[in-house]
């Protein structure tokens, strides 16, 4: 099956800066593909090249097998939902949704029918005569999507469209966007710096940093099996230590951190050997917290220490635990099952995690 | 506290009221009173509309009146046509320093007085002027060419003097148009023309209308440019007013003419607002 969108060796330079450096990926029809990265990583540049607002310095963009090089933005079978939506304030809702259809030269009656259908699809029937500034944030969002979807594009590009919404609405729109995507059965390419948006909605996620894709995979792949230190640090939260590899047996490593703590970890196939400097990433939620040491017998890493602070944040509460003799502080997710409801600063706790959960990477510069 | 705010409010309002009262309301009331006086003998006056009757009875007056209105409308349209691309370039295409530099270039001519600027055009256009000499030097003309003292010269002068007053509101409104909205217009299948017609112009409408109103009023009330570039017989309505007040010392008729000009500009501005569906509040705010 031809992918809906295929980029090969895509590059873009601004002067001496390589904003996008030889990026290759393809997006299967009907899937939700996200590009996740910090601001300035080049994700917007990729999106603007796909939409046609920027010419690539090298490489090719194919949509349904057809090269888009040299095709003007208004001739491409892609539409874009802009960061601040860019609805036309001078037109009413029906005018906005019908704009593309008018440009395509449809008959007035057909346009009216299609606009009504689109409004039904997004669950806002009968608001065609409203002005844009009379809509709520979530309604604007849906109108912006409907404005693109009436044109039945092969690929819909979304440039951080949830950025301007408040937290509650954003959570709600994540689910709604995913539902709209399956309702319209269109390929979505979504760019964001918010990992939770990408993780919740996407079939495939590309993590981007400094113009290159660090890893492409499903949300689970990125979370459980990060391939690079950047992905491990960027997706989800991590405890991060640096140390020197002391012993190696198969994939299992023994690493002594700069502060003298001995940790067991796994290389997961990465090139690490005794004497190498390694970065160790452990997720706070992968660490088991216990009242007595006996419960932790099955874990390779066991530390007893004192709680140095409690970071209460509802379901995402954490505690910081310092091992004996100072050493590193370990961030541990606080289970909300009630056992640790009374745990406070200064209490002694025991933490443990399996060596498999310590992701080790050769240390970057 | 209440009294304090009230005093502050009154103090702040006073200059405005003085300005409105002394410079606008009182002179206009007086003008109106003068305009409805009819001289029946030496130092003897009757109240009548005879001056307005004279205005409508004399075709030259009426003709000049209409000609001034049409020329001003034309000057406004030409100014808009030239200023729009210029403003679009400054607001949307030029970036950073180039943008400020171009905007400054539009402003620079206004550092010298209108009189000097108009003399500049005379130097260029007159028989012994720069253009005439150039044409002769290039062999395109075998004798001096007079380019002053015609309607085209008046038009050039009017457009030139009003340019800034069109560019400023246009740049301001165009700058407030989000680039993403223009890109969305293209992204959804629009071409340059349809984006301009459906997105850029509707957005810029308040700026266009306010620029047009200012330019139209400046042209209609302009005295210097038509007189200097159009000559003594340029038939501009302000010249007739000047002639009645200063040359013929007929203040009564001059006042009536002044009132007709006020009515004319009000009617045309009102009609423009109605036609474009703009309100004065949108346009000014």
């Amino acid at each position: 099956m031809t992918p809906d969108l295929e980029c090969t060796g895509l590059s873009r330079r601004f002067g001496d800066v390589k904003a996008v450096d030889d990026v290759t990926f393809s997006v299967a029809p009907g899937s939700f593909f996200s590009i996740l990265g910090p601001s300035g990583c080049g994700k917007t540049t990729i999106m603007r090249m796909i939409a046609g607002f920027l010419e690539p310095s090298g490489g090719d963009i194919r949509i349904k097998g057809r090269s888009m090089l040299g095709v003007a933005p208004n001739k491409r079978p892609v539409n874009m939902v802009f960061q601040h939506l860019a609805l036309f304030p001078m037109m009413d809702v029906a005018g906005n949704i019908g704009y593309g259809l008018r440009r395509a030269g449809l008959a007035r009656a057909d346009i009216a029918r299609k606009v009504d259908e689109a409004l039904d699809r997004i669950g806002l029937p009968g608001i065609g005569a409203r002005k844009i500034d009379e809509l709520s944030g979530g309604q604007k969002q849906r109108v912006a999507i409907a404005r693109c979807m009436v044109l039945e594009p092969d690929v819909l590009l979304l440039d951080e469209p949830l950025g301007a919404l408040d937290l509650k609405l954003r959570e709600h729109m994540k689910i709604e966007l995913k539902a709209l995507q399956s309702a319209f059965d269109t390929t979505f390419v979504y760019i964001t710096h918010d990992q939770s948006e990408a993780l919740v909605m996407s079939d495939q996620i590309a993590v981007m940093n400094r113009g290159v894709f660090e890893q492409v995979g499903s949300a689970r792949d990125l979370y459980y099996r990060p391939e690079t230190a950047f992905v491990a640090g960027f997706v989800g939260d991590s405890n991060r230590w640096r140390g020197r590899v002391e012993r190696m047996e198969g994939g299992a490593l023994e690493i002594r951190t700069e502060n003298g703590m001995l940790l067991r970890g796994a290389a997961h196939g990465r090139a690490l050997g005794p004497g190498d400097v390694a970065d160790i990433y452990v997720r706070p939620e992968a660490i088991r917290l216990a009242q007595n040491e006996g419960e932790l017998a099955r874990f390779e890493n066991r530390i007893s220490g004192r709680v140095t602070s409690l970071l209460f944040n509802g379901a995402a509460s954490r505690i910081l635990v310092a091992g004996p003799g100072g050493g590193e502080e370990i961030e541990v997710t606080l289970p909300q099952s009630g056992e640790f409801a009374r745990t406070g600063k200064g209490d002694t706790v025991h933490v443990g995690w399996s060596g498999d959960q310590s992701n080790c990477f050769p240390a970057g510069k | 506290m209440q009294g304090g705010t009230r005093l502050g409010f009154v103090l702040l309002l006073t200059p405005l009221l003085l300005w409105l009262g002394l410079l606008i309301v009182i002179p206009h009331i007086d003008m109106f009173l003068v305009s409805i006086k009819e001289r029946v003998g030496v130092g003897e006056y009757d109240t009548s509309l005879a001056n307005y009757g004279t205005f409508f009875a004399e075709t030259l007056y009426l003709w000049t009146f209409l000609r001034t209105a049409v020329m001003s409308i034309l000057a406004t349209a030409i100014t808009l046509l030239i200023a729009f691309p210029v403003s679009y370039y400054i607001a949307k295409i030029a970036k950073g320093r180039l943008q400020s530099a171009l905007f400054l270039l539009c402003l620079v001519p206004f550092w010298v007085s209108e009189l000097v600027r108009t003399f500049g055009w005379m130097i260029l256009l007159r028989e012994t002027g720069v253009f005439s000499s150039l044409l002769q030097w290039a062999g395109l003309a075998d004798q001096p060419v007079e380019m002053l003292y015609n309607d085209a010269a008046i038009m050039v002068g009017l457009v030139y003097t009003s340019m800034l007053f069109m560019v400023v509101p246009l740049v301001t409104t165009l700058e407030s148009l989000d680039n993403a909205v223009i890109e969305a217009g293209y992204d959804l299948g629009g071409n340059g023309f349809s984006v301009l017609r459906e997105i850029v112009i509707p957005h810029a409408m308040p700026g266009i209308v306010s620029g047009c109103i200012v330019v139209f009023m400046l042209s209609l009330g302009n005295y210097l440019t038509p007189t200097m570039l159009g000559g003594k017989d340029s038939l501009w309505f302000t010249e007739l007013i000047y002639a009645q007040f200063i040359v013929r010392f007929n203040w009564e008729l001059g006042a009536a003419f002044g009132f007709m000009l006020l009515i004319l500009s009000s009617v045309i501005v009102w009609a423009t607002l109605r036609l474009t569906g703009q309100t004065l509040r949108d346009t000014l705010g």
Side-chain angles (χ1 to χ4, degrees):
Chain A
M1 195 158 43
T2 350
D4 265 5
L5 172 67
E6 199 177 8
C7 293
T8 41
L10 193 61
S11 305
R12 171 74 203 194
R13 269 186 300 278
F14 294 105
D16 291 336
V17 185
K18 281 184 172 178
V20 176
D21 188 6
D22 195 19
V23 166
T24 299
F25 66 98
S26 68
V27 181
S31 65
F32 198 120
F33 184 86
S34 292
I35 300 174
L36 171 66
S39 48
C41 72
K43 54 191 194 301
T44 304
T45 309
I46 290 191
M47 180 133 303
R48 293 178 65 79
M49 285 194 283
I50 299 172
F53 297 124
L54 274 179
E55 275 298 312
S57 315
D60 194 8
I61 300 166
R62 292 172 175 279
I63 293 170
K64 292 234 152 112
R66 198 159 68 89
S67 173
M68 285 294 125
L69 294 185
V71 180
N74 52 358
K75 302 273 189 286
R76 296 189 185 203
V78 247
N79 291 118
M80 183 156 169
V81 177
F82 288 80
Q83 190 163 14
H84 300 290
L85 305 180
L87 292 169
F88 306 132
M90 60 291 286
M91 303 174 200
D92 58 12
V93 171
N96 266 277
I97 298 178
Y99 174 85
L101 299 171
R102 287 201 299 281
R103 294 282 72 78
L106 263 70
R108 203 175 277 266
D110 289 340
I111 294 176
R113 185 175 48 77
K114 286 203 172 199
V115 167
D116 282 344
E117 275 173 22
L119 284 172
D120 280 344
R121 287 279 271 292
I122 57 168
L124 297 170
I127 65 155
R130 287 244 211 117
K131 285 200 168 149
I132 294 304
D133 52 17
E134 293 167 7
L135 302 180
S136 71
Q139 288 172 329
K140 281 184 192 163
Q141 195 82 55
R142 282 182 265 178
V143 170
I145 292 168
R147 182 175 74 171
C148 294
M149 295 315 296
V150 283
L151 299 175
E152 294 164 18
D154 290 335
V155 176
L156 183 68
L157 305 172
L158 300 104
D159 182 4
E160 307 202 29
L162 304 187
L165 302 181
D166 59 67
L167 186 69
K168 276 270 185 237
L169 190 57
R170 199 153 62 212
E171 293 302 316
H172 176 72
M173 283 307 295
K174 275 184 211 168
I175 300 162
E176 194 150 310
L177 261 181
K178 184 74 185 150
L180 280 172
Q181 191 251 337
S182 44
F184 285 113
D185 194 27
T186 301
T187 308
F188 276 34
V189 175
Y190 189 95
I191 71 169
T192 182
H193 64 268
D194 181 320
Q195 46 165 304
S196 108
E197 285 174 19
L199 294 177
V200 169
M201 295 189 282
S202 318
D203 299 313
Q204 286 268 300
I205 303 168
V207 179
M208 192 171 183
N209 186 32
R210 297 179 184 205
V212 296
F213 279 3
E214 294 264 339
Q215 184 176 358
V216 183
S218 68
R220 280 160 179 257
D221 290 345
L222 298 178
Y223 183 80
Y224 291 119
R225 288 283 161 264
E227 280 170 11
T228 65
F230 177 79
V231 176
F234 192 72
V235 179
D237 290 323
S238 285
N239 286 291
R240 184 182 158 188
W241 301 290
R242 177 164 288 189
R244 193 171 290 279
V245 178
E246 294 202 330
R247 243 153 52 80
M248 183 163 172
E249 265 181 46
L253 305 169
E254 266 183 24
I255 297 169
R256 184 155 317 262
T257 67
E258 284 156 353
N259 282 339
M261 190 162 67
L262 188 69
L263 295 172
R264 290 174 181 82
H268 294 297
R270 284 174 285 268
L272 274 171
D276 288 350
V277 179
D279 279 328
I280 310 144
Y281 290 86
V282 183
R283 299 206 181 280
E285 54 272 33
I287 302 175
R288 174 76 191 277
L289 189 64
Q291 304 278 25
N292 59 64
E293 250 178 303
E295 294 173 39
L296 303 172
R298 62 198 166 90
F299 295 119
E300 288 97 332
N301 293 295
R302 288 187 298 274
I303 292 165
S304 300
R306 282 184 181 282
V307 177
T308 55
S309 48
L310 176 73
L311 314 168
F312 188 80
N313 181 19
S317 300
R318 306 265 168 82
I319 55 171
L320 295 182
V321 179
E328 322 281 352
E329 277 193 334
I330 308 167
E331 205 177 327
V332 183
T333 298
L334 194 64
Q336 293 298 313
S337 47
E339 265 178 284
F340 295 95
R342 303 203 161 275
T343 303
K345 201 169 165 181
D347 291 352
T348 303
V349 289
H350 309 279
V351 297
W353 67 94
S354 73
D356 236 24
Q357 299 282 4
S358 316
N359 257 307
C360 302
F361 298 91
K365 303 289 141 1
Chain B
M1 195 61 224
Q2 187 77 37
T5 17
R6 169 144 301 191
L7 182 67
F9 177 71
V10 169
L11 280 177
L12 284 171
L13 198 65
T14 309
L16 179 72
L17 287 177
L18 282 176
W19 181 68
L20 279 174
L22 290 179
L23 296 176
I24 297 175
V25 179
I26 294 176
H28 273 90
I29 292 174
D30 193 48
M31 262 254 285
F32 181 69
L33 293 177
V34 171
S35 79
I36 55 170
K37 276 200 238 171
E38 186 192 0
R39 182 156 36 182
V40 286
V42 180
E44 281 179 67
Y45 295 96
D46 266 353
T47 301
S48 83
L49 290 174
N51 292 317
Y52 293 93
T54 315
F55 170 78
F56 285 105
E58 182 62 65
T59 43
L60 177 70
Y61 295 156
L62 208 59
W63 169 244
T64 308
F65 186 68
L66 291 177
R67 183 184 130 84
T68 308
V70 170
M71 290 273 284
S72 298
I73 291 172
L74 197 62
T76 309
I78 294 174
T79 311
L80 177 62
L81 283 180
I82 298 174
F84 197 87
V86 171
S87 313
Y88 191 82
Y89 190 87
I90 293 176
K92 285 288 148 206
I93 298 170
K95 298 268 179 289
R97 291 176 60 144
L98 179 64
Q99 188 174 30
S100 351
L102 287 173
F103 202 51
L104 196 66
L105 275 181
C106 288
L107 195 77
V108 163
F110 288 77
W111 284 353
V112 297
S113 87
E114 192 182 347
L115 189 68
V116 178
R117 268 180 283 140
T118 313
F119 273 126
W121 275 109
M122 293 180 79
I123 290 169
L124 290 177
L125 296 178
R126 69 182 176 195
E127 234 177 326
T128 52
V130 175
F131 287 162
S132 177
S133 312
L134 264 178
L135 284 176
Q136 289 178 78
W137 175 80
L140 293 169
D142 47 12
Q143 57 184 27
V145 189
E146 177 62 278
M147 285 183 244
L148 275 179
Y149 313 125
N150 56 45
D151 286 358
I154 298 181
M155 205 50 95
V156 165
L158 286 177
V159 169
Y160 178 69
T161 33
S162 348
M163 205 60 174
L164 184 72
F165 300 98
M166 189 67 94
V167 168
V168 169
L170 280 180
V171 167
T172 315
T173 47
L174 285 173
E175 265 182 343
S176 70
L177 178 61
D178 187 358
N179 283 331
V181 172
I182 300 175
E183 284 181 351
Y186 284 107
D187 183 64
L188 294 163
N191 54 30
F193 174 72
S194 64
V195 168
L196 184 72
R197 191 169 60 88
E198 290 212 39
I199 295 161
V200 179
I201 290 180
H203 178 89
M205 212 54 196
I208 293 175
V209 172
S210 70
C212 284
I213 289 175
V214 172
V215 169
F216 173 75
M217 294 213 232
L218 282 176
S219 300
L220 197 69
N222 201 329
Y223 176 77
L224 202 64
T225 308
T227 312
M228 287 174 71
L229 297 179
K232 280 212 158 70
D233 305 318
S234 59
L235 293 177
W236 205 257
F237 198 64
T238 47
E239 286 167 3
L240 289 190
I241 300 177
Y242 179 85
Q244 293 306 326
F245 274 100
I246 307 296
V247 181
R248 297 191 48 203
F249 219 69
N250 188 350
W251 278 50
E252 292 74 26
L253 191 59
F257 284 2
F259 244 80
M260 287 313 295
L261 195 64
L262 178 68
I263 291 168
L264 176 72
S265 65
S266 309
V267 166
I268 292 182
V269 167
W270 174 81
T272 315
L273 287 173
R274 282 301 296 268
L275 226 66
T276 53
Q278 300 285 317
T279 62
L280 205 55
R281 225 174 81 200
D282 288 348
T283 312
L284 299 179

